Structure formats: C-alpha cells, structure tokens
C-alpha cells in the first residue's frame, strides 16, 4: 500500500526482518546438510539416505524461498530529515525539497499536525479551511483550486486513504488533506528517483484580508519526519533490494566538461571493459560516420550525416534466462540522440516463446508499468528521439501459450546475446531525419536581479549579441526545401536550485505570426510529443503551470511556471518559404508572472531544505491569486468598506458628549482622542491615507483603540 499506519509500518518492517531471518536460517541449514552429505558420500552407511533426502529437500526449499530474485538485502538509511514544528498562517504555504537517489528503495514520510478533522467532515469544510499536502516530481506543486479537482481529491482520499494510484501519475500533482497523524510509504516501484517537492498549503483560494490587522482563518502547525532507505550496492534494486541490475550499462562519452552539452559529439575512443561474470564483453566502439539516404516525394535523395555515438554488446551467448526470470540493465542518455536500438541475436526459442523487452525512463520497468515494450526475438526495438536520462531495460522469456491457458514445452534455460546502439545527428542537426537546425542557448544572468535566478538566454553564435536579451529569429531558422514545414530547435538549461522560477518566451513580429511553438522537458518536441504548445490560434491551456496571455496576431507571450531543473527544448515550426518579416524572440528565466500584474510585490524565498529558490506574489488588498490577477474587491467596493470602517469610530461621539454634559473633562479628552486616533489608524489600515507609518500608528494607537472598544461595550 502507498500509505500505512504506524502499526502497518511496523508490520511491514517485521515481515522484512522475518524474510531475512528465514534466508539466513535456510543458508545455514544448507551448509549443515552439505557437510552431512559430504560425510555420507565419503563414508556410506545405511543411515546416509535420509541425510541425502533432507539435503535435497532443504535445497528445494531454498530455491522456492529465494525464487528468481533471491533473498533480499537489508536496505540502509540514505538520508533523513526532521522538522519539529512548522507554522503556517492562514493562506500560507511552503515547500520542502527531497532528493531521491537512483539507489533508493523506499521513502517514509510522517506528518503530525494540530488538526483533527474526521474524514466524514472534510467535504463540509470551505476552501479557506482546507489544509492539504501535495507531492510532485521536479518542480514545486501548484494545486488546482477548482471545485472539480477538489471534489475528486476528497473522493479519492475517502476511498483510498492516500495518494491513490501514484504509478501512472508521477508527473501530476498528488494531494491529500492533512490529518492528525499521516504516514506515507512510497517505494521505487511507485515513484521515480529524482528531485521531489512536498508542498504544505493551509487554505486554498485567493487570499482576502480586509485590512492589515485582520487575519481570517486558523493557523496550522506541522511536524515532519522523512526517512529515505536504499539498497547497499548499486547492483541491487526494488522495494526490498531483491532485484539485481547488471552493472554493464554504458554512459555517453563527451569531449566537453559540461555533461549537458547537446551538440557536436564525436567518439574517438575505443575501450573494452571486461566483467568478472562468465566471458561477457562490453564494447565501447567508435564507428566511422556514415551518411543515410532520406527518400523524398520528388524521388530525389537528400544525404544527411548520422553518427553512432555508443554501441554496447553482451556477446558469446553469455546472457541466460529461465522462464519467469527478469534481468535488468540501464543505459544513460546524457545528450540528445536520434534513436537507440536494442537487438537480440544467437538465441534458440521455441515457437511458443518470446523474448520481451521493457523500457522505462528514470524508473525500473514492470510488466504493467513501462514506457515501451516489444518482442526483440522477432524484430529490434527502436526508440525514436529518446528523452535525456537513465533508461532501464528489463528482459524476460514469455510463454505465448500462457495467454491461451495452455501449456507447451520450453527450454529450461535460453542463452542469447544482445546489444544496444545509440545514434545521433552530425553538424548541429537534429530531428528524425537529421534535417533541422539545433542551437544551444547560453544563460546570461541579469544585473541587479530582483530574484536570485533571473537571467536570459541567447544563442552561442556571433549572430546574437550577449548585451541584448532578444535575437532575430529569421537568422536561425532552418532553410530547407524538402517539406512544407520546417523545424528549428533551441536547447537551454534551467540551473539547479531555480525550480521555483518561470520560463518566459516571447515572439514579436512586424507582420502576422505564422509560427508554432512547442516545448518539451528532457527531449525533442514534435507534432505528436510535447509538454506545452502555443500558436496564434490555440494553445495547451489546460495546465496550471502554463499561461498564454496578451497574445495578438503579431505577438506571442507565454510562461511556464516553476520550470523543472534540467534541459528544455523549444521547437519552432515554421513554413519553408522565406518571408520578409522581422521577428524577435526572447527567452528568459524570471521570478513572478508578469511582475504580479502590477497588483502586488514579487518576493523570493527558499524552501525548507534551503536548496531551492522560489518566487511568489504578495497581493494588495483588492487582488489575489497566484499572480494577483483575481480581483477580489472592486474599487467602489473598497471605497464603501473604507468609509463604513472609518465612520464606525463615530461611536466615540456619544460618550464624549455625555462626559462634556457631566463636565468630566478628563473623560471627554480621553473619549475624543481615542475616537480620532482610532479613525486615523483605520484610515491607514485599509490603505486610504496614513498620517504616520503603519507600525508607528499600530503601536501608539493600540491602547487608545482598546480603550474605545471597552467604552463601546460599556455604552
């Protein structure tokens, strides 16, 4: 389960300890039985047969207990975090960054709050009183405050009691309401390694405070304890560290120090790595660059350059599998590649057997949870334009007749060899046919930024100047006459620690824009695969992390909130014909969206771990929302509220008049001065007019205001 109570967590750990003890006892019994069997063989006696039988039975039990995965290793604690008390005011929020390394096996999160709301009463709470905790990979979460989303959130929580099915929604925001005590246990089969962010939210919806002194809502106190466990060695994997990963994965070679350099790669090195197991050979080959032909509709051929970046192989038929066994491998893609291909050879399979390959990026694949799969015994498995990251590969022997509930004889063990090959484009080209131009953008920090990570991006080319935050787009567009539309790609890096920033892209032209803009994280966008899309007529506006505003026929202005750290690619799809238009493109890393729409002040803060900056808006009294774009009170409504609040201090007139009639001049001075000072204080409090600074008025007038309130009650 994805969520366990403390009693269930103790039972979970107890069962794991019992499994380890069982493995240890069985191994000790095997040693004893083997010694007894050896003595019986050397000195046969009539009593030797029972010892032999016992030894065989024990070995069979060991095989059943260990299975194809073997006995689990004891996970070790990789990291731990504890925060005794975190206080959140009404409508307040904060984030916590948690790094999960590739070797992690599980993460246990415990949250204790001062809220004790029964589950059956959660639906009755207003948004302003709903405290939730959210989890998201790569960037800080922004919860959806729509009624539809919150209704589904509560329905799933009441039915499941936790995040629900996290396996298929690792890229989405997962939220649950806070309880008195909440324990969440997630394994590496449910979430991927990487950077995760926990969001604490006390109240949802646009904040509205009548004045500076009024704070509606209830504060929240949270205690957090997080423990990350992992396998003791990199060769082990799984929630119980009982799966083995072959350590023959290859990493792409780059002559540049920057591991994220995406273009101009060549391999001039030949290495042969030998492993200790059997006679396996992993070859790091450098093949000569060779052209491939691209057949066009006009029966002409365009020759483009393709380079074999990596070729790794397991040869000599040294990979052996039994039916039901799964073996895992990994391949690192650190730069943009054209494709990679997995091929199996030198195997003998019956007609009822297949060699199935599963692939998943940055997570271990499973039979029912993977990115790609295929039968590599019949044809190679080819992945076009793979994402940058670590690709995990699982291979198993599958009996086709099992699907028809029949049986067929199969070989106990099947040995074969396989290899994978990573291919890339030459000469700064990219795309499925290596026809399109690709440019790496360099980041230029802004001088005197309002937030620490503000910067802009320009191409590393003499056609763009570092002094300007924009560049002419037509100078960099692909010039090709082979197809109706062409693509031009721009790659950029969002630095570590700036996941709380936004990417702002703007296109301005002197004529009507006929460009389409696609963006994708960690890969190359295309018509079929993209994260965000924008054009003059439509956009992908269904995400809370995306905004397309103030766009016209000649301007395009879009923002990606809380952009993930790492490599982003922006693809411009444009007609092949050349036009006389002049279009300027600017890409920048900013703090608050549209500078809080001039209705608030942009601030920068650090998450609770101190590793990530994020920006947020503090809105004025009349506006709210993520970027202060929601008008909560109209200007006329604010005037009416200010008049009534200031006029309410006229209550001091009656006691002052009574004191004057009674010739109680001391009381008359007290009542009159209290009423005047309270009116001045409230005038400044609601933002109408301040005779002094607000803090000075708050200190000097607090006693007078308290006196006036007591007088009002007495009168």
């Amino acid at each position: 389960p994805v969520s366990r109570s403390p009693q269930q967590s103790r039972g979970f750990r107890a069962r794991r300890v019992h499994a380890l003890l069982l493995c240890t006892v069985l191994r000790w019994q095997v040693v004893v039985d083997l010694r007894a069997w050896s003595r019986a063989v050397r000195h046969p006696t009539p009593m030797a047969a029972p010892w032999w039988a016992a030894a065989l039975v024990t070995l069979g039990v060991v095989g059943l207990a260990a299975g194809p995965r073997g006995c689990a290793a004891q996970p070790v604690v990789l990291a731990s975090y504890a925060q005794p008390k975190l206080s959140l005011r009404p409508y307040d929020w904060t984030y916590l960054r948690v790094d999960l390394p590739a070797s992690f096996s599980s993460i246990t999160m415990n949250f204790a709050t001062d809220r004790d709301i029964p589950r059956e009463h959660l639906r009755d709470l207003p948004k302003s009183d709903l405290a939730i905790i959210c989890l998201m990979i790569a960037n800080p979460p922004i919860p959806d405050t729509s009624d539809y989303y919150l209704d589904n959130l509560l329905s799933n929580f009441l039915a499941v009691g936790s995040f629900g099915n996290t396996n298929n929604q690792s890229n989405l925001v997962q939220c649950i309401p806070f309880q008195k005590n909440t324990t969440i246990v997630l394994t590496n089969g449910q979430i991927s390694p990487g950077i995760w962010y926990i969001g604490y939210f006390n109240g949802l919806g646009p904040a509205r405070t009548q004045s500076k002194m009024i704070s509606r809502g209830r504060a929240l106190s949270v205690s957090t304890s997080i423990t990350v466990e992992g396998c003791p060695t990199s060769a082990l994997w799984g929630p119980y560290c009982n799966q083995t990963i072959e350590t023959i994965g290859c990493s792409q070679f780059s002559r540049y120090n920057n591991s994220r350099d995406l273009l101009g790669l060549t391999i001039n090195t030949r290495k042969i790595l030998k492993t200790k197991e059997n006679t396996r050979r992993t070859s790091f080959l450098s093949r000569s660059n060779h052209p491939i032909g691209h057949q066009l509709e006009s029966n002409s051929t365009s020759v483009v350059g393709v380079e074999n970046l990596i070729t790794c192989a397991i040869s000599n038929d040294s990979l052996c599998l039994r039916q039901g066994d799964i073996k895992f491998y990994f391949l690192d893609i650190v730069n943009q590649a054209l494709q990679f291909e997995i091929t199996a050879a030198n195997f003998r399979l019956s007609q009822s057997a297949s060699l199935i390959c599963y692939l998943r990026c940055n997570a271990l694949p499973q039979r029912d949870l993977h990115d790609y799969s295929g039968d590599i015994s019949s044809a190679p498995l080819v992945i076009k334009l793979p994402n940058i990251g670590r690709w995990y590969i699982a291979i198993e022997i599958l009996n086709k007749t099992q699907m028809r509930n029949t049986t067929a004889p199969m070989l106990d063990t099947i040995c074969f060899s396989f290899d994978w090959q990573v291919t890339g484009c030459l000469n700064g080209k990219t795309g499925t046919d290596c026809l399109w131009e690709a440019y790496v953008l360099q980041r230029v920090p802004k001088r005197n930024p309002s937030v620490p990570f503000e910067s802009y991006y320009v191409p590393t080319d003499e056609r763009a100047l570092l002094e300007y935050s924009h560049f002419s787009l037509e100078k960099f567009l692909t010039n090709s006459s082979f197809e109706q539309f062409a693509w031009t790609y721009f790659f950029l890096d969002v630095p570590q620690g700036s996941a709380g920033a936004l990417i702002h892209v703007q296109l301005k032209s002197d004529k009507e824009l006929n460009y389409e803009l696609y963006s994708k994280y960690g890969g190359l966008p295309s018509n079929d695969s993209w994260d965000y899309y924008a054009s003059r007529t439509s956009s992908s506006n269904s995400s809370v992390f995306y905004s397309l505003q103030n766009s016209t026929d000649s301007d395009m202005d879009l923002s990606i909130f809380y952009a993930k750290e790492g490599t982003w690619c922006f693809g411009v799809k444009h007609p092949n014909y050349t036009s006389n238009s002049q279009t300027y493109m600017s890409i920048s890393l900013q703090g608050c969206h549209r500078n809080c729409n001039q209705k608030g002040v942009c601030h920068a803060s650090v998450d609770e771990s101190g590793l990530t900056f994020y920006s947020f808006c503090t809105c004025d009294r009349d506006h709210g929302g993520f970027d202060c774009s929601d008008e909560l009170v109209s200007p006329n409504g604010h005037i009416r509220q200010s008049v009534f609040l200031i006029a309410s201090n006229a209550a001091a007139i009656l006691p002052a008049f009574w004191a004057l009639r009674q010739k109680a001049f001391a009381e008359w001075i007290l009542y009159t001065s209290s009423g005047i000072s309270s009116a001045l204080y409230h005038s400044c409090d609601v933002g109408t007019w301040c005779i002094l600074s607000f803090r000075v008025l708050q200190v000097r007038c607090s006693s007078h205001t308290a006196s006036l309130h007591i007088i009002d009650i007495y009168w």
Side-chain angles (χ1 to χ4, degrees):
V2 294
S3 180
R4 300 186 178 93
S5 63
Q7 293 81 5
Q8 290 174 325
S9 299
R10 288 193 293 269
F12 171 78
R13 291 190 292 267
R15 287 192 298 271
R16 188 164 60 189
V17 172
H18 292 167
L20 292 174
L21 291 176
L22 175 61
C23 289
T24 304
V25 171
L26 290 176
R27 288 167 179 165
W28 174 81
Q29 185 66 34
V30 168
V31 174
V32 174
D33 291 341
L34 288 178
R35 290 178 179 175
W37 176 77
S38 178
R39 290 195 301 269
V41 171
R42 291 195 305 267
H43 307 287
T45 63
M47 297 297 295
W51 281 105
W52 292 1
L56 293 176
V57 169
T58 303
L59 290 174
V61 171
V62 170
L64 292 175
R69 296 179 180 179
C71 292
Q74 179 65 40
V76 297
V77 177
L78 300 180
S80 61
Y81 172 85
Q83 188 173 43
K85 186 178 181 180
L86 175 64
S87 298
L88 296 177
R89 296 174 298 176
Y91 293 104
D92 200 1
W93 77 95
T94 188
Y95 296 108
L96 173 63
R97 171 173 171 158
V98 179
D99 292 86
L100 299 181
S103 60
F104 100 99
S105 60
S106 64
I107 176 173
T108 303
M109 298 176 285
N110 297 294
F111 305 97
T113 69
D114 54 357
R115 296 281 181 92
D116 191 8
I117 302 174
R119 289 191 178 186
E120 57 271 14
H121 295 165
L122 288 174
R123 289 186 178 273
D124 301 330
L125 290 178
K127 292 182 182 180
S128 58
D129 294 337
L130 185 61
I132 64 174
I133 179 173
C134 297
L135 186 68
M136 189 173 185
I137 190 172
N139 54 324
I142 303 176
D144 190 349
T145 59
S146 63
D147 295 334
Y148 175 78
Y149 175 81
L150 294 178
D151 184 67
N152 288 340
L153 183 151
L154 295 177
S155 299
N156 293 335
F157 178 74
L158 294 176
V160 181
S162 185
F163 288 106
N165 187 9
T166 312
N167 291 337
N168 299 323
Q169 299 178 355
S170 59
N171 291 327
L172 302 179
V173 179
Q174 300 286 319
C175 301
I176 60 172
F178 268 115
Q179 295 289 287
K180 182 70 174 178
N181 292 286
T182 305
T183 300
I184 302 170
V185 179
L186 298 171
T187 65
N188 55 13
Q190 296 167 319
I191 60 175
S192 305
I195 300 174
W196 286 81
Y197 288 91
I198 302 173
Y200 304 80
F201 299 90
N202 183 25
L204 301 178
R208 167 74 171 113
T209 55
Q210 171 73 23
S211 59
K212 295 182 180 179
M213 71 175 184
I214 299 177
S215 179
R216 292 183 175 89
R218 180 182 173 186
L220 176 69
S221 178
V222 185
S223 298
T224 305
S225 176
I226 299 176
T227 302
V228 180
E229 292 186 341
C231 301
T233 64
S234 59
L236 298 177
W237 188 265
Y240 309 100
C241 297
N242 57 351
Q243 294 172 326
T244 303
I245 299 181
E246 299 293 336
T247 58
I248 63 168
C250 301
S251 297
Q252 195 166 357
F253 173 77
S254 173
R255 67 175 177 226
Y256 300 100
N257 293 329
N258 184 4
S259 63
R260 296 188 181 274
D261 189 16
L262 303 169
L263 305 175
L265 296 176
T266 58
I267 300 284
N268 297 318
T269 304
R270 180 185 300 268
K271 295 182 180 179
I272 296 181
L273 305 177
K274 295 183 179 180
T275 60
K276 298 180 180 179
E277 183 179 357
N278 298 328
T279 58
R280 298 182 181 181
R281 182 174 61 88
T282 303
S283 302
F284 208 86
L285 303 180
S286 174
R287 299 184 180 180
S288 59
N289 302 333
H290 59 280
I292 63 173
H294 175 60
Q295 189 68 27
L296 304 177
E297 295 180 357
S298 60
N299 295 326
S300 62
T301 302
S302 171
V303 178
V304 296
V306 176
E307 181 184 23
N308 288 336
L309 299 180
I310 297 178
T311 299
C312 299
I314 301 178
S315 58
N316 299 333
D317 301 341
S318 58
L319 178 57
C320 299
L321 286 177
R322 296 178 301 172
Q323 183 181 1
D325 287 357
I326 299 180
K327 285 200 173 184
F328 296 91
Y329 305 87
F330 68 87
L331 171 65
D332 285 329
I333 303 293
V334 297
N335 298 285
Q336 185 60 54
L338 174 63
Q339 68 179 34
F340 73 83
E341 178 180 325
I342 299 177
T343 307
N346 302 326
F347 55 85
R348 292 178 299 171
L349 294 176
S350 62
Q351 295 181 353
S352 61
S354 296
L355 195 60
I356 305 300
C357 179
Y358 307 98
L359 291 99
R360 192 179 178 192
C361 185
N362 295 324
L364 206 67
Q366 303 174 18
R367 292 186 181 94
D368 56 349
L369 183 60
H370 51 266
D371 296 334
Y372 301 93
S373 65
D375 184 1
I376 59 176
S377 60
S378 59
L381 180 59
V382 179
I383 309 301
K384 296 287 187 180
L385 303 177
N387 284 359
I388 297 174
R390 172 163 291 187
W391 285 82
Y392 289 93
I393 304 168
I395 298 178
E396 73 165 341
I397 302 294
L398 182 63
N399 190 351
K400 298 179 181 178
T401 59
Q402 291 178 348
M403 300 180 182
R404 299 189 292 266
N405 295 324
T406 59
T407 58
M410 285 188 61
L411 298 175
D412 292 338
T413 303
I414 298 176
C415 297
F416 58 94
S417 62
F418 84 100
D419 63 84
W420 54 63
Q421 177 176 299
V422 181
T423 307
C425 300
L426 292 175
N427 303 322
K429 302 289 185 177
T430 189
T432 55
D433 300 317
C434 295
L435 293 176
W436 315 130
E437 298 288 346
Y439 302 93
V440 177
L441 303 182
Q442 56 183 336
R443 188 173 69 92
V444 181
K446 291 184 178 180
R447 294 185 177 181
N448 302 319
S450 58
V451 290
F453 40 73
E454 280 192 334
S455 52
Y456 59 89
Y457 295 88
V458 293
T460 57
D461 193 286
E462 64 274 1
R463 291 171 288 182
L465 300 178
L466 296 180
E467 292 79 11
Y468 298 98
S469 60
H470 58 271
F471 55 91
S472 177
L473 183 59
E474 280 76 16
K475 294 181 180 180
F476 298 91
L477 294 180
T478 300
N479 186 12
S480 175
S481 59
F482 300 136
E483 297 182 10
Q484 182 180 1
F485 291 94
W487 289 79
T488 303
Y489 294 98
F490 299 95
F491 294 91
L492 60 89
D493 272 356
V494 175
Q496 293 185 0
S498 59
L502 65 88
I503 298 178
H504 179 241
V505 183
Q506 191 173 25
L507 295 177
K508 285 189 175 183
S509 178
D510 56 356
K511 296 183 180 180
E512 186 177 275
L513 276 175
N514 53 1
Y515 300 144
E516 297 179 9
L517 186 63
Y518 297 78
S519 64
K520 187 176 181 180
Y521 174 77
L524 205 68
S526 63
N527 288 322
D528 303 323
S529 176
W530 43 266
D531 293 334
Y532 303 103
Y533 160 78
S535 69
R536 187 170 49 87
T537 58
S538 62
S539 65
S540 58
N541 54 3
S542 59
S543 174
V544 296
F545 292 92
Y546 177 81
S547 174
L548 181 66
Q549 293 184 352
N550 298 334
S551 295
T552 62
D553 292 341
S554 60
D555 295 343
M556 187 184 300
D557 192 312
L558 61 95
S559 300
I560 301 175
F561 303 140
Y562 287 178
K564 300 177 182 178
E565 301 173 4
T567 301
W568 283 83
C569 180
F570 289 87
V572 179
K573 184 180 179 181
H574 52 90
N576 245 331
Y577 61 86
T578 59
S579 62
N580 297 324
S581 62
Q582 182 68 33
T583 305
Y584 288 98
M585 183 176 187
S586 64
I587 304 177
S588 58
L589 201 63
Q590 299 180 0
C592 299
H593 181 229
R594 298 183 59 82
N595 197 21
C596 302
N597 289 286
Q598 310 301 323
K599 305 299 182 182
V601 181
C602 183
H603 298 278
S605 184
V606 185
D607 78 307
E608 298 300 319
S609 68
L611 299 176
T612 299
F613 288 97
Y614 67 94
S615 58
F616 62 94
C617 290
T618 301
C619 306
D620 58 25
R621 297 176 180 86
D622 300 336
H623 295 83
F626 177 76
D627 55 356
C628 303
S629 59
D630 298 335
E631 186 180 66
L632 305 180
V633 179
S634 63
N636 293 332
H638 181 79
I639 293 175
R640 288 194 300 268
Q641 292 180 4
S642 301
V643 169
F644 283 113
L645 180 61
I646 297 172
S648 65
N649 296 281
I653 296 176
L654 294 178
F657 178 74
W658 175 84
L660 188 61
R661 286 283 304 270
Q662 299 296 325
K663 296 183 179 181
F665 298 108
E667 288 79 358
W668 174 75
I669 295 175
L670 175 63
Y671 299 152
T672 304
S673 60
S674 297
I676 295 174
S677 61
S678 180
L680 293 175
Y681 170 72
H682 286 150
S683 175
C684 183
D685 191 25
V686 297
T688 303
W689 177 72
C690 294
I691 189 174
L692 295 173
S693 65
F694 177 77
R695 291 187 177 183
V696 174
L697 288 175
Q698 192 174 31
V699 172
R700 294 190 177 184
C701 299
S702 59
S703 59
H704 295 287
T705 304
S707 301
L708 183 59
H709 291 166
I710 295 175
I711 293 170
D712 291 340
I713 295 174
Y714 173 77
W715 188 258

